Amino acid sequence: MTASIVYSLCGMCNTRCPIEIHCDDSGPRWICGNRHTGSGTALCPRGAAGLGLYADDERPQQPLIREGARGEGRWRAVSWDEALDYTVGRLRAIMDAYGPRSLLFSERPGPYSDLSKAFVRGLGSPNHCNHDDACAHNVNQAAYTLTGSGRSQWNYDYKNCRHIVVQGRNLLESLKVGEVNNVLAALDKGCRLTCVDVRPTVTAARATRSLCLRPGTDLAFNLGILHTLITEKLCNAAFVAAYVKDFDALADFVRPYSAVWAAGECGIDAEEITTLARQLAEAAPAVIWHGGWMSTRYAQSFMTCRTAYLINALLGSFGSKGGLILNAGAKDAGRKGLRSFAALYPAPAEPRADGVGWKEPPFAPGSSLLHKAFQAAATGEPYPLKAYIALKHDPLSAMPDPEAQKACLDHFDLLVSLTFSWSDTAWFSDVVLPMPSFVERGSMLQLRSGARPQILMRSPAAAPRHDTRPEWWILGQLGKRLGLPELAFDTLEDLWRFQLEGTDIGLEDFRHGAVSLSETPINPGPVFKTPSGKIEVLFTPWEEAGIPSLRPYVSPARPGPEEFRLIVGRHACHTHSHTQNNPLLHDKLPVNEAWIAPERGQALGLADGDTAVMRAASGYSGQIRVRLVSGMHPEALFMLHGFGHTLPVESRARGLGLGDQHFMSGGLTQEDELAHGLALQAHFVRLTPCDTSAKDN
Ligand SMILES: Nc1nc2c(c(=O)[nH]1)N[C@H]1C(S)=C(S)[C@@H](COP(=O)(O)OP(=O)(O)OC[C@H]3O[C@@H](n4cnc5c(=O)[nH]c(N)nc54)[C@H](O)[C@@H]3O)O[C@H]1N2
Ligand SMILES: Nc1nc2c(c(=O)[nH]1)N[C@H]1C(S)=C(S)[C@@H](COP(=O)(O)OP(=O)(O)OC[C@H]3O[C@@H](n4cnc5c(=O)[nH]c(N)nc54)[C@H](O)[C@@H]3O)O[C@H]1N2
Ligand code: SF4
Ligand SMILES: [Mo]
């Protein structure tokens, strides 16, 4: 028997941990972390379950063209040539009739989006969108409008940190393996962890201090901290003087928001707030107040994230060891980066359909608002959108109100989905172009910035089990047929060589899947790419455009006596909605449940484990098992995202649990007041014991 190890990158979530895929004559047998990249061999449960995905036949196995009505599930299996020719024929006709700008493309962004951006640009459409309006859009704009760099350009130096604060960030369950390792190492060394949430979590269980606040009032909590830092003169005066522009404006802004005031809003004692502020000042600058990740929850999420970064600013943690360190790129390491496909074409001059760049405030580069593009498709304003391609993206699960979305999608003449698993969006599409799992798939090279920037390689460990093709091949073949032959490559090695052109790196250097661009860690220090070169409390481009960078606090609505605010989150065993049917992960956690405070359950006549009917404001309802959980905020009903699958092709996940997106009726227009990311937690639901609701009906 011959054994081999293929060095690659996990694809079970967007973190893309470096992995080893151990193979024998019968194929891939084992997946663990890549021991040569310094991140250890441990993976999260999802990474190890990549083998379950590989072995699963309940995924699209060949190109499919829709036969019946949209969403009906009647397909014609076709060859790749037919699928590509059909897609290109339809695309051409649409672009001839409505112009290239009528093409909308969306995907999970990341290192591989360089090729799809090039594809969309090359065709002449400005409408390349990412998923971020339902994920990190607000926190990204918060980071950008203060520091001139987006959220993922700031790295958290957990290892050297003395006090970490997470707020609405479930660090140990909504996880990145490397980050968890660093946080646990810091905790072992005595670092404090303060966790602010609305429910108990694994992160809260490991925290030095765990605080439960009223859902949606984090901004009040943060304003109380800023007020304490300023009035008690706990700020890092030298850092503020050197690097913070408009400190006086901030001091004026927070004046009404004392810790006592904040306590009245968020329900956390004023003394807890002042104690936390003092402890942070003691540990500064080796402190991290996490800026947030899935920050598209409320109408004031952007302000919450902005105040989180402002706390870091007053404590001087930007650029400091144990604080927030700017990620270094190839240039910082004195090396040349990867050659870009997108740079082959000029950016289209047309305005974007989602309003970014002309109607919206000045945003961080690469920002988009897909929910606005969907609405533009429905209204035809500013112009008709007629073809939609979704790559690695399932908006029907990942944006609110699927029925409202379908009404928007019905305005498109062509819907294409590139995916490796079934999804509601793929099922509703006209053409499904299936991709292999990451175990069977190589990808473009990825430059990962960080203290030690690296170039990472994903290589296939096995031939595809089905008639599937990687996205670089699909986009290249579509491009070739549409007049962009430079995007088509016969082999992945040819594509990699294009990317490496002009560097001193060859394919042979990727023996262990990665090439490091710097031997020593790089800390660029407190560098702010704003117009003033400082942290801008009042962001110059927004102020010039007449958009306020600071907005007064607005108390979030309280649910009625019978209602709960719907709160969503994740579990370590699942990624969004694409792992529930994975045979290995399905066994670990097959269904989601509704968590509520015990006193609320008792008042409703619900015992732990009872099944109840959950009902949205729209009347949409479904049955779900109820858990009475001590430590839940009484206003909150928590459920895991990603369940409630209905597709007949997913025999394991089908019919289990509920999908939170269905309970977000009208959610396509519920947004943050300034940055306009979605407000996914602006929704109230009701619970009734099953038998009572049967009588009601
Ligand atoms: N209601 C509600 N909506 C949410 C959230 C929520 O908690 N509740 N969370 C939000 C957040 S934070 C996010 S990031 C988004 C996630 O939204 P999505 O990115 O749409 O979610 P996924 O399920 O990760 O991926 C969607 C599809 O892409 C495919 N896919 C995933 N990874 C890959 C890959 O590497 N290659 C290829 N080819 N295909 C891939 C899968 O087959 C899956 O069908 O949802 C957001 N929307
Ligand atoms: N295992 C796993 N890990 C993942 C993912 C995954 O799907 N699975 N997805 C990745 C992605 S794309 C993202 S964006 C991140 C998201 O990671 P996070 O940003 O951590 O998001 P969540 O896990 O959705 O929610 C974090 C916590 O916010 C709490 N919360 C809800 N409302 C409030 C509130 O008003 N105030 C406060 N203080 N807390 C509140 C929830 O109870 C939850 O525990 O996770 C990433 N990591
Ligand atoms: S965090 Fe887990 S699922 Fe995500 S890439 Fe790493 S091992 Fe894979
Ligand atoms: Mo996300």
Side-chain angles (χ1 to χ4, degrees), residues 470-488:
E471 78 255 54
W472 63 265
W473 185 89
I474 301 173
L475 290 174
Q477 291 303 312
L478 289 173
K480 190 168 151 186
R481 287 166 166 79
L482 287 161
L484 306 171
E486 55 283 359
L487 298 184

Side-chain angles (χ1 to χ4, degrees), residues 161-163 192 277-287 315 321-322:
C161 186
R162 296 179 60 207
H163 196 150
R192 281 172 181 273
R278 289 172 199 150
Q279 284 180 352
L280 287 169
E282 271 166 35
V287 294
L315 294 167
K321 190 175 170 186

